[in-house]
């Protein structure tokens, strides 16, 4: 029975079905909550047909999870806002994430703690985006009092038509000058996140100190996920070739980081379980240092699940482990199910896990029947003597499996069909792995052995030049990509 073999996979699928249904129905959260509570009682206390009640309960939890995420909390500042008001509002709170510069403006997400309007101050909650017309030195966790105008966001996502939480999460406050800002001498950020962002700033400083600007922008994206300094023509060419994933910190990068940490700890001759225990907090620290974007959070959770399975000496079932990672993410934020990144991340992994063994066994190990038995015999992996050829064929199958898993989603969302992706990733991915590891070596040298840093920087630049040139070479192949 599928449920007995893959219980988490089945329950996660049912949970996702509940989320998908909730996105299509306008039922109020109170009604959904009551139905969920009613189903909870027989699922726990009645033995007869318990499995049916449990399945229905998981389905209703998916429905209620999305509805809850779409509702504004009772303390939200929105109920105190009058958008027809001409006078500015005064709000108090703290910077919720790393600030960024855009269009000569200082930008940051701001956690609101109190709002003043009509000479009345009220405690509240919620988050807004602040845009300041001043080049101020803002930092994560800094508590501020701001005076400015509040405006509705201009861009809707698909789900925001009935998603108040997502809509007002992007509400914008515009602050005209530094005179409208009062800096409170208090930091309310998490110390761990502040430490991680400090490490991130140090890594960025080392990269831009030793590496040329264009190459530094690409290296910064591959290590930290910051894409703002990548030239547009490079991003566009990699989208066409289906290799843009290497410029986004995701499962690929997190896997490399985990591998590098474990290898270093192994060289230090630390016990196996102690190495795994030390790897887990270091991965979490890396996740925070990249700003904890959704792809990195997803990949980190997946990595932690697999490491935890090794710690307790359990053979990890890939489908149940992936389902546990997905369930952990969706319970925290059910709206992730509709994010393109979430869908592509799990589709690519499932494509490799499910399709790769099938392709390998049917296309590479088949010896019976067929029109061309001699060709089949030649392609058998177990008789290949040239290790490089065997490695290339294996890599091609992995790339093909990932492409087949994500092909439909990419065509639907990006209106692009890139047959060259399989061939390109066969060469681009190993090269990107080498660049990432070399980039981390540069950071380590910049911190501890500055004398060797310039040589590693030149190596990085050469590898990045080879990466871009190779990507452009594949794009020039006939039928490399098609616009749908």
């Amino acid at each position: 029975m599928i449920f007995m073999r893959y219980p988490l996979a089945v329950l996660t699928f049912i949970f996702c079905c509940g989320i998908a249904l909730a996105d299509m129905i306008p039922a109020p959260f109170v009604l959904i909550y009551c139905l969920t509570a009613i189903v909870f009682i027989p699922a726990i206390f009645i033995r007869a047909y318990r499995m049916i009640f449990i399945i229905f309960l998981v389905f209703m939890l998916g429905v209620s999870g999305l509805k809850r995420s779409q509702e504004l909390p009772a303390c939200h500042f929105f109920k105190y806002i009058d958008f027809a008001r001409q006078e500015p509002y005064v709000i108090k709170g703290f910077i919720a994430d790393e600030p960024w510069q855009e269009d000569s403006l200082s930008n940051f997400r701001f956690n609101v703690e109190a709002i003043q309007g009509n000479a009345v101050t009220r405690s509240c909650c919620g988050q807004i985006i602040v845009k300041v017309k001043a080049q101020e030195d803002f930092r994560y966790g800094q508590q501020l009092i701001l005076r400015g105008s509040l405006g509705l966001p201009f861009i809707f996502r698909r789900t925001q038509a009935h998603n108040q939480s997502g809509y007002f999460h992007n509400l914008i406050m515009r602050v005209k000058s530094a005179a409208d800002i009062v800096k409170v001498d208090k930091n309310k950020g998490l110390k761990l996140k502040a430490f991680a962002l400090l490490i991130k700033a140090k890594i960025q400083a080392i990269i831009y100190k030793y590496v040329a600007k264009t190459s530094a922008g690409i290296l910064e994206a591959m290590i930290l996920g910051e894409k703002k300094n990548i030239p547009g023509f490079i991003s566009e060419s990699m989208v066409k070739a289906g290799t843009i994933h290497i410029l986004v910190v995701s499962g690929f990068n997190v896997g490399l980081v985990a591998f590098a940490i474990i290898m270093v700890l192994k060289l230090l001759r630390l016990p196996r379980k102690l190495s795994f225990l030390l790897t887990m907090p270091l991965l979490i620290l890396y996740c925070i240092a990249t700003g904890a974007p959704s792809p990195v959070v997803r990949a980190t959770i997946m990595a932690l699940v697999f490491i935890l399975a090794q710690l307790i000496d359990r053979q990890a079932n890939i489908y149940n482990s992936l389902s546990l990672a997905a369930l952990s993410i969706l319970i925290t934020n059910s709206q992730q199910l509709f994010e393109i990144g979430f869908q592509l991340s799990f589709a690519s992994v499932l494509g490799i896990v499910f399709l790769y063994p099938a392709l390998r066994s049917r296309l590479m190990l088949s010896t019976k029947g067929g029109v061309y038995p001699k060709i089949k015999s030649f392609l058998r992996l177990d008789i290949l003597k040239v290790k490089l050829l065997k490695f290339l064929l294996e890599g091609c199958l992995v790339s093909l499996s990932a492409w087949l898993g994500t092909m439909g989603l990419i065509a639907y969302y990006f209106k692009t069909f890139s047959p060259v992706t399989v061939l390109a990733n066969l060469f681009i991915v190993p090269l990107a792995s080498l660049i990432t590891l070399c980039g981390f070596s540069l950071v380590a040298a910049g911190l501890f052995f500055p004398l060797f840093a310039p040589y590693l920087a030149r190596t990085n630049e050469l590898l990045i030049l080879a990466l871009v040139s190779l990507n452009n070479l594949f794009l020039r192949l006939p039928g490399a990509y098609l616009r749908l």
Side-chain angles (χ1 to χ4, degrees), residues 165-428:
S165 179
Y167 184 74
F168 290 107
H169 187 71
N170 293 306
L171 194 71
I172 296 172
M173 170 174 259
R174 301 184 184 276
V175 180
K176 291 184 177 181
S177 66
D180 295 315
I181 303 171
V182 176
K183 296 182 179 180
V184 182
D185 190 20
K186 187 176 181 180
N187 193 301
K188 303 199 71 172
L190 297 174
K191 290 184 178 180
L192 178 62
K193 185 170 183 177
F195 177 66
L197 291 177
L198 183 65
I199 293 176
K200 179 180 179 179
K202 186 66 175 177
I203 292 173
Q204 289 173 319
I206 291 173
I207 291 174
Y208 281 94
K209 179 179 179 181
Y210 294 104
V211 181
K213 186 176 180 181
T214 300
S215 298
I218 295 174
L219 187 61
E220 182 187 20
M222 296 178 72
I223 293 179
L224 297 173
E226 289 287 349
K227 296 182 291 182
K228 61 180 181 292
N229 295 318
I230 300 177
F233 70 93
I234 292 179
S235 297
E236 185 179 354
S237 67
M238 289 194 162
V239 168
K240 292 176 181 177
T243 56
I244 189 65
H245 60 88
I246 67 167
L247 299 181
V248 181
V249 175
S250 57
F252 169 75
N253 308 73
V254 173
L256 280 178
V257 171
F259 172 77
I261 293 172
I262 291 172
M263 287 298 100
V264 170
L265 295 177
K266 188 176 181 179
L267 289 174
L268 296 175
R269 299 185 179 277
L270 293 180
R272 174 174 167 273
K273 288 193 174 182
L274 179 59
S275 297
F276 286 138
L277 280 172
L278 292 174
T279 301
M280 294 173 75
L282 290 174
L283 282 179
I284 294 172
L285 190 65
Y286 175 68
C287 176
I288 298 172
T290 61
S294 298
V296 183
V297 172
R298 286 191 293 268
T300 303
I301 291 175
M302 282 191 262
L304 294 177
V305 168
F306 283 107
I307 291 174
L308 188 60
Q310 297 296 320
L311 276 175
I312 61 178
D313 293 321
R314 292 287 299 274
Q315 183 65 37
N317 181 295
I318 183 66
Y319 294 105
N320 284 328
S321 298
L322 279 174
S323 300
L324 179 59
L327 200 58
S328 302
I329 295 165
L330 294 174
I331 288 174
T332 305
N333 182 7
S334 298
Q335 296 182 57
Q336 282 281 316
L337 183 64
F338 306 107
E339 296 290 337
I340 300 172
F342 179 92
Q343 296 171 17
L344 289 176
S345 295
F346 284 95
S348 62
V349 175
L350 285 173
I352 294 171
V353 170
F354 180 74
L355 295 174
Y356 169 69
L359 290 172
R360 190 179 190 277
S361 62
R362 297 194 180 194
L363 299 180
M364 306 299 287
L365 299 178
S366 177
T367 57
K368 296 181 180 179
V371 181
Y372 306 104
K374 291 184 178 180
I375 295 178
K376 285 193 171 184
S377 177
F378 172 74
L379 287 176
R380 286 179 58 198
L381 284 177
D382 56 348
I383 66 170
L384 286 177
K385 303 301 181 183
V386 182
K387 290 185 177 180
L388 177 60
L389 180 58
K390 184 176 181 179
F391 171 78
L392 290 175
L393 288 172
E394 292 273 13
C396 189
L397 281 184
V398 172
S399 181
L400 177 62
S401 301
W403 180 67
L404 289 173
T406 59
M407 178 179 62
L409 291 172
I410 292 173
Y412 175 76
Y413 286 115
F414 300 107
K415 310 301 180 187
T416 301
F417 180 70
S418 304
V420 78
T421 297
V422 178
L423 182 61
N425 278 295
L426 184 62
F427 297 93
I428 293 291

Side-chain angles (χ1 to χ4, degrees), residues 45-93:
F45 299 104
I46 298 177
R47 290 189 177 182
Y49 306 107
R50 174 174 289 179
M51 188 55 62
I52 295 175
F53 283 115
I54 289 176
I55 290 174
F56 192 58
L57 175 62
V58 172
F59 179 83
M60 291 305 301
L61 287 173
V63 175
S64 60
L66 184 69
K67 289 298 181 183
R68 175 184 53 80
S69 68
Q70 292 177 344
E71 297 291 328
L72 292 174
C75 64
H76 201 275
F77 63 85
F78 167 67
K79 60 183 179 182
Y80 306 123
I81 298 295
D82 178 10
F83 290 105
R85 170 190 170 102
Q86 299 297 320
E87 294 79 12
Y89 283 92
V90 176
I91 61 173
K92 180 181 179 181

